[in-house]
Amino acid sequence: MNVPAPALAAPRAARRLTGELAALLVIWQRDMLHYRRDRFKILVTVLQPIMMLTVLGAGLASLLPATPGGADYRTFLFPGMLMMTVQAPAISAGVALVTDRQSGFLREIVMAPVRRETVLIGRCLGGASIATCQGALLLPLAGIARLPYDPITLALLLGEMVINAFMMTALGVLLAIAITRTESFYAVLSIVTMPLIFLSGAMFPVSGLPGWLFSAVLVNPVSYAVDALRRTTVARLPGPVPATLFDGPRWGGWRPPVLLELACIVVAGVAMLALASRRFSRNP
Amino acid sequence: MTTRLPPGDSRSAPGSEDAGSSPSAAAAVPVIHARGLAKSYPEGPAVRGIDLTVPAGQTFGFLGPNGAGKTTTIAMLCTLTAPSAGRARVAGHDVTTDAHQVRRHIGLVFQDTTLDQGLTAWENLRFHARLHGVPASTAQTRARELLDLAGLSHRRDSLVGTFSGGMKRRLEIVRGLMHRPRVLFLDEPTIGLDPQTRAQIWDHLHRLRRQEGITLFLTTHYLDEAEHCDRIAIIDDGQIIAEDTPAALKTVIGADRVELRTNDDRAATAQLRDRFGLDAVADGDSLWLRVEDGAAFVPRMCSALTVTIRSVTVTRPSLDDVFFHYTGRTIRETDQPEAGR
């Protein structure tokens, strides 16, 4: 192949970039098309956290006497439910990758003159968008959790869900890339997701856990995701908040600020995505 | 022969290399050029060093039983698998060092469907077009044109999941052509389809050849399909054992096969040897022999033989015979072990 003239190199790189961006967009678009078409799935995925919030929340709320304008167990549970709502469709991005491999569609993607990283980033953006949409559907229930409909709080929660969804999607994609056998993938998925949620403080406070379990909480990125959401929900709450219940992961007694927590989530997401890309480039 | 650039696509693709040479020289450059291409897996070699030269505009058939190395060869030419040895240039680009450029200029139709069944025909085509950098407006017109050619225009907005097997295959061929590739690779394009649908697919491919002037490279283990090709390479156990036009390959076998049933085979055999110097072979309750021009031979034979002839069949040599000639097996025999999977 001829060596391109130096003058041509720059526009060629630019064309290359627009090509990759177009690919990214169309991969995202395909995921959104699938999402919009499956109304039933949208409903079912939202239903589970709603049931947990109303049934489990109502049952356990009696353990914690509510103060006027303050937090109770449902307030505590709400961020966890947001996380669970985001987590399921985000992990589905990995499932979609496995399905594409099974149906053969993955080969259509792999055959395209597009970088493998682009394919995975597109997938993650698609999964994160869907997950955020699902999470947004739950926000109107803030009232059940005794939260005022404060636009700033809701906007912040939505923003945090985007970040959390991205990290969870990256995890799902990494698992899908690392485990090529479909059956093993589903087995690993169920083994991995349960402790991620249970050891994140989504359902119960982590401060009471024994030391060895607490270390698991500290390395679990979902802990920071849940804690960031939780601190945002109560930040503008007029009434009192029970401190021990709403405590989060601490690094040797120091509680990292929300922004640092979010940064950790982004780093974890990017790291998993990079790992997945590397594997995918070698062995689709 | 003109160099075909994708419309509305200004990237410096295939034209840039051919620009300096004359159009006739460009046409002489083979679209596929492989030397010593080989692939080994830990289980053993799949392709043992093959040479291929396919000029532009040709339909090239790759014929062989399952497991002969056809799919592996396609995978190497399409940059999906890295060769263990040898080199190949497809559409003017090296498959190992310049995979992206190769991918821009080839289309690939896989053995089993790779369509998204949850999307409509148009959405599948649009996805492919965008992934290959075809501008949106071009994709629209191109899809209309190709769907028309495939007889699928009326199903443009139906979900692919509702399509029949033959329609899916035609749509897949359409999709492979969306970005105006120079070569379309088809891996067993008619496998698993009923004879009528197979004929439809071939009609479609012939129309495409006429209208698009595209090079087709296809694998098949159906011998009758190989007859649609300009040239055929017979591959067995990872090696090309013969390569020529279907007609030329058949002349290797030489002659037509005349099969006759008589009331007295022994007398017929003797008379055939005496009058024509031909050795007839007894096969069950019939005799067969090879002659240069079967149609002309039959009347002469009928008037020369004194025994009663009950029936005569003349068969032109088939590629099955060719395959048998080179390998000592029929394709069907070689397929047996895999038939049950």
Side-chain angles (χ1 to χ4, degrees), chain A residues 1 8 17 19 21-22 40 42 63 67 84 96 108 120 132 142 175 211 232 241 246 252 262 268 283:
Chain A
M1 146 147 212
L8 275 172
L17 188 67
L21 283 176
F40 184 68
I42 299 179
L63 295 176
T67 42
M84 278 181 74
E108 150 80 354
L120 290 191
T132 309
L175 288 177
T232 307
V241 174
F246 282 76
L262 293 176
N283 182 21

Side-chain angles (χ1 to χ4, degrees), chain B:
Chain B
M1 172 80 201
T2 51
T3 311
R4 288 158 354 93
L5 261 175
D9 193 340
S10 55
R11 59 174 184 240
S12 59
S16 60
E17 282 141 275
D18 303 338
S21 48
S22 69
S24 58
V29 174
V31 176
I32 301 170
H33 186 82
R35 286 292 170 268
L37 205 59
K39 179 72 185 178
S40 289
Y41 291 109
E43 309 89 77
V47 176
R48 301 163 186 268
I50 59 171
D51 297 339
L52 281 171
T53 308
V54 181
Q58 211 173 52
T59 298
F60 191 91
F62 217 40
L63 178 72
N66 288 330
K70 289 175 294 176
T71 301
T72 309
T73 305
I74 282 217
M76 286 191 281
L77 293 176
C78 293
T79 75
L80 286 176
T81 303
S84 316
R87 302 182 66 81
R89 289 176 77 81
V90 174
H93 301 278
D94 191 289
V95 295
T96 35
T97 60
D98 212 1
H100 270 229
Q101 283 300 323
V102 171
R103 287 177 191 187
R104 274 184 202 285
H105 301 302
I106 62 170
L108 176 55
V109 176
F110 292 95
Q111 227 172 81
D112 25 48
T113 178
T114 61
L115 294 160
D116 186 334
Q117 319 263 336
L119 297 183
T120 66
W122 161 240
E123 284 162 353
N124 268 289
L125 297 181
R126 183 181 57 186
F127 183 84
H128 182 91
R130 298 307 305 274
L131 219 49
H132 285 78
V134 180
S137 56
T138 317
Q140 287 263 7
T141 34
R142 183 90 181 128
R144 198 177 308 129
E145 195 176 289
L146 288 170
L147 285 174
D148 252 355
L149 209 58
L152 289 171
S153 297
H154 62 296
R155 299 298 296 273
R156 182 183 182 272
D157 297 312
S158 313
L159 289 182
V160 172
T162 65
F163 282 25
S164 69
M167 287 163 74
K168 279 182 194 162
R169 201 57 57 91
R170 274 181 287 158
L171 181 62
E172 211 143 356
I173 295 170
V174 164
R175 185 181 65 180
L177 293 168
M178 279 298 285
H179 56 293
R180 289 193 183 273
R182 293 177 61 194
V183 199
L184 183 66
F185 288 90
L186 302 122
D187 194 6
E188 303 275 358
T190 59
I191 203 163
L193 300 176
D194 59 82
Q196 198 191 339
T197 316
R198 278 167 62 186
Q200 268 177 18
I201 299 285
W202 272 109
D203 282 348
H204 182 213
L205 287 175
H206 286 309
R207 265 199 303 278
L208 283 172
R209 266 188 79 193
R210 273 200 303 279
Q211 300 207 3
E212 305 262 318
I214 193 169
T215 309
L216 299 177
F217 185 103
L218 59 102
T219 68
T220 183
H221 69 287
Y222 292 125
L223 287 152
D224 50 330
E225 295 202 331
E227 317 249 358
H228 291 278
C229 306
D230 298 320
R231 272 182 91 78
I232 298 170
I234 297 178
I235 182 168
D236 189 39
D237 198 21
Q239 278 170 311
I240 292 178
I241 50 175
E243 194 205 315
D244 217 321
T245 62
L249 282 175
K250 281 188 229 163
T251 55
V252 169
I253 306 299
D256 296 349
R257 179 186 158 112
V258 177
E259 192 173 336
L260 62 155
R261 286 161 191 264
T262 66
N263 281 345
D264 186 350
D265 283 356
R266 190 172 301 180
T269 311
Q271 287 177 12
L272 282 167
R273 193 179 298 119
D274 292 347
R275 311 272 163 85
F276 301 101
L278 292 167
D279 284 319
V281 182
D283 183 10
D285 60 346
S286 65
L287 296 171
W288 65 267
L289 57 150
R290 295 223 175 258
V291 288
E292 207 55 59
D293 185 352
F297 173 73
V298 168
R300 280 166 52 215
M301 177 184 75
C302 288
S303 57
L305 296 192
T306 56
V307 295
T308 312
I309 299 173
R310 284 180 296 152
S311 76
V312 180
T313 324
V314 179
T315 325
R316 310 260 309 126
S318 75
L319 281 164
D320 217 343
D321 300 322
V322 178
F323 190 81
F324 185 82
H325 174 82
Y326 282 108
T327 64
R329 312 190 303 281
T330 67
I331 282 206
R332 243 165 262 104
E333 275 172 39
T334 44
D335 270 356
Q336 288 302 315
E338 278 190 298
R341 78 189 161 140

